[in-house]
Amino acid sequence: MNGAKKILVADDEPNILLSLEFLMRKSGYEVFIARNGSEAIDIVKKHNPALAVLDIMMPDIDGYQICSFIKNSDEHKACKVIFLSAKSKDADIQKGMEFGADYYMTKPYSTRALMQKVNDMLQA
Amino acid sequence: MLSSWLIVLFSLIYLALLFFIAYRVEGSKQKKRSFFQGPVVYALSLAVFCTAWTFYGSVGKASKEGLGFLAVYIGPTLISPLWLFLLRKIIRICKTQRITTIADFISSRYGKNLSLASIITVLCFLGVIPYISLQLKAISDSFDLIISPDFKMKSGSFGLIGDTGLIVALCMALFSIVFSTRKVESNEQHTGMVVAVAFESIIKLFAFLAVGVYVTWILFDGFGDVFSRAFVFPELRNLFVVQQQFGYSDWLWIALLSGIAATLLPRQFQLAVVENTDESHLKHATWLFPLYLLLINIFVLPIALSGSMMFPGNGVNGDYFILDIPMQMNQKALALLVFIGGFAAATSMIIVDTIALSTMFSNHIAMPVLLGSDYRIKNPLFDLSRFLLNSRRFGILVILGVAYAYYHYISKYYSLVSVGLISFVSIAQLAPAIIGGLYWKKGNKKGALSGLIAGFAIWFYTLVLPSLVGSGIIQSDFVQYGPWGIEWLKPNQLLGFTGFSPITHAFFFSMLFNLGLYVLVSLNTKADDKEQNQAEIFVNIFKYEKIMDAAPVWKGQASIPDMESLLANFFGEQRSRNAIRNFSIRNQISSEQEKADPKLVAYVERVLSGIIGSASARIMVASVVKEEEVKLAELMDILRESQQLMLLNRELKRAKSQLELANHRLKEMDELKDDFLATVTHELRTPITSIRAFSEILFDNPELELDDRQHYLQIINKETERLSRLISQVLDLEKYDSGKQKLLLEEVYVKELIQESINSIKSLADEKKLNLLVDVDPELLNMILDKDKMMQVLINLLSNAVKFTESGGLIQVSALRRDDQVVLSVKDTGRGIEPEYQELIFDKFFQARNQTIRKPKGSGLGLAICRKIVELHGGTIEVLSEPGKGATFVITLFITD
């Protein structure tokens, strides 16, 4: 899979992680999975992914903090960020966008819509 | 003999000290003042009741009449508990109506009648001035005695300093002028003077006790010794037998008379009512004052008896035994102390009575005369407040001048006690009008006036006229045979009554006619509207005091500038304007418009009353207001309205605060519910997300391997289970919260309960290779509980233990009985719980909100439900844990047979 775009997927629900990993890989991306915030940060630093798909509520470091880490670093700020969260209030969504996210989807989401968005983002 | 210079020097030092105390107190800071205005000072100041008459005269009376002297102190002692009702009511009335003299109190009650106030002022003068002169006599007698070489009484001594009485009178005038007429105030309180009087009470008590101790324990060998030696003399032994001539009834009358006097004498009224700063001080006064009386009387008999033994025969006046004894024994310092004590007793009485009387003089005589003349109209710039102060100063000089003259020409001929009691009888004449006025609405001005005049006339006829016989003004035939020889008019035996002593006789007849006329005339005449209004307010003061401020008792037209200029007469323009503005703001009335609100007019009248008395205040206000009479019915309506408005207001306020509280609680509950709902939805979304994702994957990827397919279907299945578990737990919890959940109680074998719970998690435990240990108290057989629910609790705790314990760990379940308690515990060797979370883990969704301990997953409701179940059983659940060393969940249940 040389040259495949790298995607970080972070969530503390193993089953969600599993489904996302399956979907991304099938679309031809190189997937890195993180079960918590600090793993996610490590992956960003190590692999500099093109896209980060982040859950918000995670143990240790939450999605907001990962997002602002990405968007505030010169090396990684090109990385797109999609939030996938059970937080569905308008205020939550607005807060996510303020942290610099590129897209926000509330759980449960349509996997087809998600993959459509991912592909759009990475082809542009 | 002591040098007169020494005595004069000490007297002057003592007076200077009094000035100093009063001056310092007047100038002291508010903080210190609170002590000076406290209950002890208040009670001590009331001891002004004990004048030189007590100090010297009690011993004199005891040496002549034995226990008779005590009646004068027993009366006030018995009456003092009544002060809690009587004086409290009077104080409340005086504060709300701004009454500052006893004459004003009566005149205000009976329609703010000017003539009543003036008459009472004159009567108080007649009653009290002889009493003041008596004090002058005591001072000058004791002075003459202490400097004379043979300590025999001489009349009219002229020592180095001329006439002692005159000098004392002048000093007293100076003190009274300095401390009572410095400025115009509307409450007439003089803290400096009160503290000085309290100080004098201490001095006189100390001096008396000093002599008492000296006589009883140094000259003699204790009380018993004094009495046993005295009883050798038959005439002294006889003192302790109640006199056959008048007997017990006389004693009781005198006690009653003294009780009334201790309450109503102008100086007592001044200190107990006008100078009162806090009604609660009365409570202390009702025991401190009698205690003071007891202390100052303890040594009266020993001193009287030893004096009688030391100076047999009639050569020495018993009135001065207390001074004679130390002189005889050559105890100069003690004699000096006694002199100063007597000086204190006399001066305190003179000062307070003079101040009280001078206020009456200026308010009820001088002011009305001025207001009645057209002098003010001709001189519009006339300074009223200076006139007021000057009339008070003048009043003080007149009072002391007359008292001195009386002393000089008349009172030298009497013993101390007789003049005191004569004064008591005169003041007692005020009692029917005051007490009737407080409790009997029908009592009216005509009744009060006729009662008072009759009472005073009889007093004058039966006590004052006979007393003038001694000085030669009146022929002695008058007393012996009656005027013109008419027997039944004999002043000491009216209508042929012979059973009473002269004092009791006068007291009885004057009160009989006073009270009788007061009641009869009141019943047969009609009070006018003004009177009825005041009667209503006085009798029901506790009902009206709060609304006095807001109740307009004036009708008619007045302008605000007029009101301002009335006050400005006494307070200056700036203060007056401020006072009116403050009142307007407080009562939410406009002070901008030209026309004065009726409430404001009433307020101005009350403030003026405090300065110049209610009758004069009414005259002044009436001069600028076109008055229309307010009828009682109208007043009642106004008062009732104000009262209802206040009640309504209070009611509204309470309702509002209750509403606010309920609203606040609702909001809180709403927030909690929102919180809960948000968490529940969040928790529901997570499994649904997985279910949806894998369903779509399965649908979109028909080419998937069978293994993967099955794996994904299994995930869907598990997440569905998680979802339904969550839903049923939420519903469960809701049932517990709303109290709908009921227990199904049955007899349960504890061992079986535990075993079955363990069985359902055994496979999980085995998977993680955990050791399970069960320890059940053999004595513990069965309990009454809901088996399914308690199993739910145990399984929940056990599966948590399995979840949080690493492979190879140990889980221990035990059941122990402790008295009437059963303790079930589940112990693991897992990672434990931080102390700060040990209570919180039982909250709903605590896990979800605190992500650091989120794993491994659960619904977040398990422990909350456990707690509910245990609590429903009447038990408690808690966790004991040291982080890193495992946790023990402990359930305590109570056995009820």
Side-chain angles (χ1 to χ4, degrees):
Chain A
M1 285 235 218
N2 256 354
K5 296 221 163 119
K6 294 176 182 172
I7 296 182
L8 160 67
V9 180
D11 201 307
D12 61 338
E13 278 286 329
N15 289 336
I16 292 177
L17 220 43
L18 188 65
S19 63
L20 289 173
E21 189 187 2
F22 176 88
L23 291 165
M24 305 293 168
R25 197 160 277 160
K26 204 189 131 228
S27 295
Y29 301 108
E30 189 179 353
V31 186
F32 299 91
I33 59 170
R35 279 175 219 89
N36 56 41
S38 48
E39 281 181 26
I41 299 278
D42 287 346
I43 290 166
V44 171
K45 283 183 186 160
K46 203 167 162 192
H47 300 289
N48 195 19
L51 172 67
V53 179
L54 306 173
D55 181 24
I56 290 175
M57 298 214 288
M58 278 188 295
D60 61 16
I61 301 167
D62 67 24
Y64 297 129
Q65 285 170 281
I66 304 167
C67 180
S68 72
F69 169 77
I70 292 170
K71 295 296 180 186
N72 287 323
S73 86
D74 289 336
E75 284 169 75
H76 310 300
K77 67 179 166 199
C79 175
K80 306 272 184 199
V81 172
I82 297 178
F83 276 131
L84 294 179
S85 174
K87 288 169 162 279
S88 58
K89 279 185 276 183
D90 288 347
D92 297 326
I93 295 169
Q94 198 183 339
K95 186 176 172 191
M97 301 312 281
E98 274 164 17
F99 273 93
D102 299 277
Y103 200 62
Y104 192 112
M105 286 182 99
T106 54
K107 292 176 178 175
Y109 42 80
S110 150
T111 53
R112 292 152 202 165
L114 172 66
M115 290 321 294
Q116 184 71 49
K117 193 73 203 171
V118 170
N119 293 336
D120 287 355
M121 270 184 175
L122 291 179
Q123 266 152 35
Chain B
M1 151 184 190
L2 283 160
S3 134
S4 58
W5 280 116
L6 191 70
I7 305 298
V8 171
L9 182 69
F10 268 90
S11 306
L12 288 179
I13 289 174
Y14 178 76
L15 278 178
L17 188 62
L18 273 194
F19 273 86
F20 178 73
I21 289 172
Y23 184 75
R24 285 301 294 265
V25 170
E26 287 288 326
S28 68
K29 299 248 157 54
Q30 197 55 43
K31 214 174 160 189
K32 270 194 190 157
R33 279 200 159 204
S34 63
F35 168 75
F36 295 136
Q37 296 182 333
V40 176
V41 169
Y42 179 72
L44 279 173
S45 76
L46 293 184
V48 75
F49 182 68
C50 303
T51 61
W53 166 29
T54 303
F55 194 81
Y56 294 118
S58 286
V59 173
K61 195 167 161 82
S63 67
K64 276 188 235 114
E65 296 171 24
L67 287 171
F69 77 97
L70 268 181
V72 175
Y73 308 100
I74 301 244
T77 301
L78 292 180
I79 272 187
S80 65
L82 284 181
W83 289 354
L84 284 179
F85 308 97
L86 196 68
L87 281 184
R88 200 166 84 93
K89 195 166 182 182
I90 294 178
I91 288 171
R92 198 67 72 87
I93 291 169
C94 288
K95 299 292 169 209
T96 46
Q97 301 253 316
R98 311 228 186 182
I99 290 168
T100 56
T101 68
I102 196 163
D104 199 14
F105 184 85
I106 297 174
S107 107
S108 181
R109 160 63 178 82
Y110 298 101
K112 309 197 176 180
N113 184 274
L114 187 60
S115 52
L116 200 51
S118 312
I119 288 173
I120 292 168
T121 301
V122 171
L123 297 181
C124 284
F125 268 56
L126 289 178
V128 174
I129 283 179
Y131 202 177
I132 295 176
S133 73
L134 181 75
Q135 308 301 317
L136 296 176
K137 173 176 145 85
I139 293 173
S140 83
D141 280 0
S142 58
F143 180 81
D144 296 341
L145 204 134
I146 201 170
I147 60 168
S148 66
D150 54 355
F151 59 87
K152 287 279 183 278
M153 281 298 298
K154 292 187 293 176
S155 57
S157 145
F158 295 93
L160 285 165
I161 50 160
D163 193 326
T164 329
L166 183 62
I167 306 262
V168 173
L170 286 174
C171 284
M172 292 301 97
L174 185 63
F175 186 94
S176 305
I177 286 171
V178 169
F179 288 102
S180 76
T181 64
R182 286 204 304 188
K183 53 187 191 284
V184 172
E185 280 299 343
S186 126
N187 58 11
E188 287 301 331
Q189 291 195 335
H190 320 90
T191 313
M193 180 271 283
V194 174
V195 176
V197 168
F199 171 75
E200 300 215 81
S201 294
I202 295 173
I203 294 294
K204 66 194 177 200
L205 180 62
F206 178 73
F208 204 100
L209 291 179
V211 179
V213 169
Y214 172 75
V215 167
T216 311
W217 280 289
I218 294 178
L219 289 187
F220 291 88
D221 202 10
F223 283 103
D225 190 40
V226 182
F227 287 102
S228 57
R229 286 193 201 205
F231 283 3
V232 172
F233 303 91
E235 72 270 20
L236 293 183
R237 200 163 53 227
N238 274 340
L239 288 178
F240 294 88
V241 180
V242 175
Q243 307 276 305
Q244 287 307 306
Q245 195 193 348
F246 302 122
Y248 291 108
S249 77
D250 198 58
W251 211 76
L252 284 175
W253 282 108
I254 299 283
L256 176 65
L257 174 64
S258 311
I260 294 173
T263 315
L264 300 183
L265 276 169
R267 62 176 188 277
Q268 300 299 127
F269 189 88
Q270 177 78 29
L271 290 170
V273 177
V274 181
E275 306 284 354
N276 176 285
T277 51
D278 184 344
E279 276 175 31
S280 70
H281 294 168
L282 276 177
K283 260 188 297 186
H284 303 273
T286 53
W287 65 271
L288 278 171
F289 178 64
L291 179 67
Y292 187 96
L293 293 183
L294 176 72
L295 286 176
I296 208 161
N297 280 302
I298 275 184
F299 292 110
V300 167
L301 281 176
I303 294 170
L305 292 175
S306 64
S308 298
M309 286 186 278
M310 210 179 278
F311 310 102
N314 295 325
V316 174
N317 184 345
D319 279 349
Y320 294 100
F321 276 167
I322 185 173
L323 197 51
D324 293 328
I325 293 171
M327 296 279 289
Q328 170 84 341
M329 306 312 291
N330 208 23
Q331 295 288 337
K332 286 185 180 162
L334 192 58
L336 186 61
L337 180 64
V338 169
F339 174 78
I340 294 294
F343 191 65
T347 52
S348 58
M349 181 278 184
I350 296 175
I351 290 164
V352 184
D353 260 340
T354 308
I355 288 173
L357 287 180
S358 74
T359 311
M360 287 195 218
F361 172 77
S362 74
N363 287 2
H364 310 315
I365 294 185
M367 208 63 184
V369 168
L370 178 78
L371 293 176
S373 74
D374 53 2
Y375 185 78
R376 259 183 84 236
I377 302 163
K378 286 182 192 151
N379 300 276
L381 290 176
F382 184 72
D383 186 342
L384 265 183
S385 80
R386 174 169 298 169
F387 171 79
L388 189 75
L389 290 181
N390 282 336
S391 70
R392 271 181 207 173
R393 290 175 187 137
F394 178 71
I396 288 170
L397 289 173
V398 167
I399 291 158
L400 287 166
V402 175
Y404 171 74
Y406 190 92
Y407 149 76
H408 196 76
Y409 295 106
I410 301 172
S411 77
K412 285 180 183 175
Y413 306 99
Y414 308 102
S415 82
L416 296 177
V417 172
S418 57
V419 178
L421 283 176
I422 290 171
S423 176
F424 277 18
V425 176
S426 77
I427 296 304
Q429 304 310 319
L430 305 179
I434 288 179
I435 295 170
L438 281 174
Y439 298 101
W440 190 44
K441 272 187 232 173
K442 273 193 145 35
N444 66 23
K445 178 179 73 196
K446 289 183 187 115
L449 207 54
S450 34
L452 273 167
I453 290 173
F456 268 101
I458 293 172
W459 165 74
F460 193 79
Y461 183 74
T462 55
L463 284 178
V464 181
L465 285 185
S467 80
L468 297 177
V469 170
S471 59
I473 298 171
I474 304 259
Q475 297 297 312
S476 64
D477 288 2
F478 168 75
V479 176
Q480 256 175 334
Y481 307 111
W484 308 287
I486 305 173
E487 284 271 330
W488 58 271
L489 279 179
K490 279 206 293 194
N492 289 339
Q493 292 169 18
L494 280 183
L495 308 176
F497 255 70
T498 52
F500 288 145
S501 70
I503 294 288
T504 310
H505 171 268
F507 179 45
F508 175 79
F509 276 102
S510 60
M511 288 310 268
L512 182 72
F513 281 90
N514 186 335
L515 192 62
L517 280 173
Y518 174 64
V519 173
L520 286 177
V521 175
S522 291
L523 285 176
N524 290 306
T525 56
K526 228 179 121 8
D528 65 30
D529 293 318
K530 244 187 270 175
E531 268 189 82
Q532 287 184 26
N533 295 350
Q534 287 297 94
E536 179 66 32
I537 291 170
F538 269 55
V539 173
N540 292 317
I541 184 67
F542 294 109
K543 199 164 125 199
Y544 294 132
E545 54 157 344
K546 288 239 172 62
I547 52 177
M548 282 305 293
D549 234 21
V553 282
W554 274 92
K555 249 169 68 173
Q557 304 275 314
S559 75
I560 286 187
D562 279 343
M563 292 295 109
E564 238 174 61
S565 68
L566 279 185
L567 287 185
N569 278 317
F570 301 98
F571 295 117
E573 276 179 31
Q574 195 54 46
R575 266 179 85 190
S576 308
R577 197 165 303 143
N578 288 343
I580 285 180
R581 184 154 3 96
N582 289 342
F583 179 83
S584 303
I585 293 168
R586 209 164 54 234
N587 289 282
Q588 294 158 1
I589 53 179
S590 164
S591 64
E592 297 308 316
Q593 67 205 40
E594 182 77 0
K595 222 183 101 193
D597 190 283
K599 291 177 205 164
L600 180 65
V601 181
Y603 168 72
V604 169
E605 189 191 335
R606 275 200 305 282
V607 173
L608 290 177
S609 295
I611 304 165
I612 57 174
S614 52
S616 301
R618 174 148 288 231
I619 292 170
M620 278 192 83
V621 172
S623 70
V624 295
V625 178
K626 256 195 247 139
E627 189 194 2
E628 295 165 41
E629 288 288 344
V630 179
K631 300 246 180 282
L632 178 64
E634 288 176 286
L635 174 83
M636 297 303 293
D637 282 345
I638 292 166
L639 290 177
R640 203 173 301 125
E641 243 170 61
S642 315
Q643 204 177 22
Q644 276 168 353
L645 219 68
M646 266 187 36
L647 278 177
L648 212 65
N649 230 334
R650 212 179 302 150
E651 203 63 21
L652 268 172
K653 263 186 199 153
R654 211 177 46 218
K656 190 170 161 243
S657 72
Q658 274 175 346
L659 212 67
E660 268 167 8
L661 199 76
N663 203 4
H664 185 71
R665 218 174 277 155
L666 261 174
K667 257 190 197 155
E668 252 179 26
M669 279 169 65
D670 207 45
E671 270 166 29
L672 273 176
K673 213 177 130 195
D674 275 359
D675 221 33
F676 181 71
L677 262 177
T679 323
V680 169
T681 4
H682 180 262
E683 291 299 300
L684 289 172
R685 282 172 197 275
T686 305
I688 294 176
T689 306
S690 296
I691 293 169
R692 181 168 185 186
F694 282 109
S695 323
E696 287 177 359
I697 288 170
L698 284 168
F699 189 84
D700 292 344
N701 299 284
E703 76 288 354
L704 274 172
E705 300 283 329
L706 189 63
D707 273 3
D708 288 336
R709 243 169 215 286
Q710 272 180 341
H711 183 199
Y712 297 160
L713 282 168
Q714 200 186 5
I715 289 173
I716 291 174
N717 200 17
K718 272 201 171 160
E719 292 289 351
T720 315
E721 272 171 27
R722 178 177 164 190
L723 201 57
S724 39
R725 194 165 58 241
L726 186 67
I727 290 169
S728 61
Q729 279 183 334
V730 168
L731 293 176
D732 227 23
L733 202 64
E734 203 278 326
K735 264 191 196 168
Y736 285 110
D737 272 344
S738 62
K740 280 182 208 141
Q741 187 63 270
K742 294 278 183 294
L743 293 179
L744 220 89
L745 294 174
E746 55 182 321
E747 196 151 354
V748 178
Y749 286 94
V750 178
K751 206 158 185 170
E752 200 179 294
L753 173 80
I754 291 176
Q755 201 52 56
E756 279 179 36
S757 308
I758 285 177
N759 287 345
S760 66
I761 55 110
K762 191 145 178 44
S763 54
L764 286 173
D766 289 347
E767 235 171 77
K768 278 185 96 171
K769 300 206 168 54
L770 299 171
N771 297 310
L772 277 167
L773 220 84
V774 181
D775 173 22
V776 177
D777 198 332
E779 279 177 45
L780 187 62
L781 295 175
N782 45 25
M783 287 183 72
I784 307 281
L785 32 83
D786 186 321
K787 189 178 174 187
D788 286 348
K789 298 218 165 56
M790 202 47 80
M791 262 180 72
Q792 191 186 339
V793 174
L794 287 176
I795 291 169
N796 198 302
L797 296 181
L798 283 165
S799 46
N800 277 349
V802 171
K803 248 189 270 177
F804 288 102
T805 309
E806 305 293 321
S807 289
L810 175 70
I811 295 174
Q812 237 178 320
V813 185
S814 65
L816 296 168
R817 177 160 185 170
R818 256 192 244 144
D819 303 326
D820 60 342
Q821 296 176 357
V822 172
V823 181
L824 303 174
S825 60
V826 177
K827 186 178 178 182
D828 64 47
T829 54
R831 63 173 182 239
I833 298 158
E834 304 287 332
E836 64 261 38
Y837 297 130
Q838 288 179 5
E839 182 56 30
L840 295 172
I841 52 169
F842 295 102
D843 287 355
K844 295 174 229 174
F845 293 125
F846 167 70
Q847 259 197 352
R849 271 177 274 135
N850 291 271
Q851 299 164 12
T852 45
I853 59 160
R854 191 168 174 183
K855 281 182 175 174
K857 292 225 169 250
S859 67
L861 292 174
L863 285 175
I865 292 174
C866 286
R867 166 166 279 189
K868 291 280 176 200
I869 292 173
V870 172
E871 280 172 357
L872 211 55
H873 278 89
T876 59
I877 182 167
E878 58 180 335
V879 65
L880 309 169
S881 173
E882 208 177 309
K885 290 190 179 167
T888 310
F889 283 82
V890 182
I891 300 168
T892 310
L893 296 169
F894 298 87
I895 299 172
T896 46
D897 296 314

